[in-house]
Amino acid sequence: MAGIASNPNSPRQKMINLMYLVFIAMLALNVSSEVLDGFELVETSLRTSTKNSTLRNEEVKANLDRAYRANETKVSEWYEKGVQVKDRSDDLFNYINELKLRIVQAADGKNGDVENIKQKENLEAASRVMLAPVVGEGKKLRERIDSYRAGMSDMVGDPGKIAMFETILSTKTLNKGGITAPSWETALFENMPVAAAVTLLTKLQSDIRFVEGETLSQLLTNVDIGDYRVNKIDAVVIPKSQIVSSGMPFEGRIVLAAVDSTKQPEFYVGEELLAGNTFSIGTSGVGDRQMTGKVVSDGQTYTYTADYSVTEASATIAPVLMNFLYESYANDIVVAIPGVPSGAVSASLKGAGNIRQKEGNIWTVSGLDVASDNVDVVLTASIGGRSISVSKNFKVKQLPNALPFIPYKDADGRNQKFKSGAISKRFLVESPGIGAAIDDGLLDIPYTVTGFTIRMVDNRGNVVPEISNSSNFTAQQKEIIRNMPTGTRFFISEVKALDPGGKPVTIAYSLDVLVRN
C-alpha cells in the first residue's frame, strides 16, 4: 500500500492532489472580489496622494535651491543635506517600484503591468519575491527603510518629527491573526494577495514622500531666509498710483524705511512740511512729472524723488481676482473712471448673464454660462457733459476643482482646515465631519457636502469602507476613528457636494489622513 500511495499516478494520490487544489481554491475564495476591487481604489488614491506630495516636495526643494543661489555661504550646509534627502528618497522609492513590478510579473508573467494586474488574488507571488530563502527582498527592504528613517531623523533633529518618522516608517514585528509574526516582512507579505501587496508597497512610497517633505521643510526653516539685517535707511514715496488723470490729484504716502517706531520723522514735499506722512499734489495738463522732498529724523536728512505721469481720463474695468470670469459664481469686478464718482458710472453686459452694483466701484457679474465662451462688460458715464462708453471682453471659464477638508479647532480655539498630512486624533474626534471648498488663496468658495466614504487598510491588508450620506461623520465612522492607533492612515474619497449654483458634483480629489497623538 505504501508503494501505491507514493505513486503520483495512483487513484489515491490523484484524490489527494485534487483535495489540495480544492483547499487552495477555498483559500483564494476567502479574498472576495469586493476586497480586491477596494485595493484598486485605495491604490489609485495612494498614487494621487503620492503625486501631490512629490509636487509639494519639489516646490520646497526649489525654494532651497533659490536660497542657495542667493547666498551659497549661508545656505550650503542645508542645501547639501537637501540634495542627500532627495537622492535617498528617490533611491528607496524607485527600489520599491522595482519590487512591485517583480511581484506582478511573478503572478502575471514577464509582461505583467502594475497598473493592470490580472491575477490580483494570487497568494504566492509576493511570498516568492519578498520571502524566498537567501534571495528574498523583504529583509533588504526592511533594512533599507530602517537606514532611511534613521538618516531622515538625523537631518531634522526635532524630537516630535523623529517620533513621527518612527511611527510612519515602523518595521517592528507585527501581529498577524493573533500571532506575532517572525518578522515585519513575513507579516506583510506571507500569503498576501498580489493586489494587497502592491497596495502596501505603494503606501510605503507615499509614506516616504511624506517623510521627505517634512525633512526638506525643516531644512528650509533652518536656512532662516526671513532673517534680514538693516544696513541702509531710505526715504520712500508710496503713491496711490504713478499714473493719474489730468485734473485729479497725485496722492500717496512718504515713509522712512527701517525707521524707529518710537520717533516721529518730519516729512517734506519740496520745502513744505506735512502734518503727517500723506500728501496730495494737484495736477493739470498731461505728461511726466517728478516729486521731490526730504525726511528729517533724529538730526539726519534723507532726500527722495518720485516719478509719475498725468494722462487723459480713462476707464478701468477689471476683475478683482483674475483676468477672466467664472460661471456659476458671483464675480466681483472693479468699474472705475478716474474723476467720475462711482454713482455716476453704469455698467451692463453684452451677452448672457447679470451685472449689478455691489458697493462703490465694485460690481458683481453672475449667471454666466461657459458655453458662451466670453462676455463683454460695457461701461458708460458722463464726463464734463461728454458721454463715453468703454467695453472689455472677458473669457468665461469653469470653476476650478473643489478640495475636501476636515474643519477643526486648534489648541487655541481657532478654526482650522486640515487638507493633508498628519492630524491629532483628538481634533478628528471633535470635528463634526468634512467640508469642501475652492480655497486656493484667491478664491474662497464653499461647497455643500452631501456624502463621503472613509477607507482604511488594516494590518491584514483588508480595506474597510464606511459611508456617510451627509457632511457629518456617522457614529460608526467616529467609532472607527476613536479606535485607530497612532500612525494609521485612511482616506476620505467619493465626496459628493453641491456647487455654488446648487448643481450636484463629485469631487475628484481624496483626503489623505495620517492619525497622530
Side-chain angles (χ1 to χ4, degrees), residues 52 73 79 85 97 113 156 168 172 201 204 271 309 326 333 367 392 416 422 447 498:
N52 292 337
T73 302
Y79 171 78
V85 169
N97 263 344
D113 182 1
V156 297
I168 294 172
K172 294 179 181 179
L201 288 173
L204 269 176
E271 296 299 323
S309 298
Y326 285 122
I333 64 172
K392 183 172 181 178
Q416 303 287 355
Y447 278 50
L498 301 177

Side-chain angles (χ1 to χ4, degrees), residues 244-251 280-284 308 310 313 337-340:
V244 296
S245 297
S246 179
M248 300 301 294
F250 175 54
E251 299 177 325
S280 178
I281 301 175
T283 64
S284 61
Y308 62 98
V310 180
I337 298 178
V340 179

Side-chain angles (χ1 to χ4, degrees), residues 350-369:
K350 187 177 180 181
N354 305 296
I355 186 169
R356 63 177 180 83
Q357 188 173 19
K358 186 175 182 179
E359 59 177 340
N361 62 351
I362 304 296
W363 291 62
T364 300
V365 180
S366 60
L368 300 179
D369 185 357

Side-chain angles (χ1 to χ4, degrees), residues 149 158 210 281 292 361 400 442 454 476 479:
R149 183 183 64 246
D158 178 82
F210 178 82
I281 301 175
T292 62
N361 62 351
L442 291 176
I454 285 182
Q476 182 63 26
E479 187 63 22

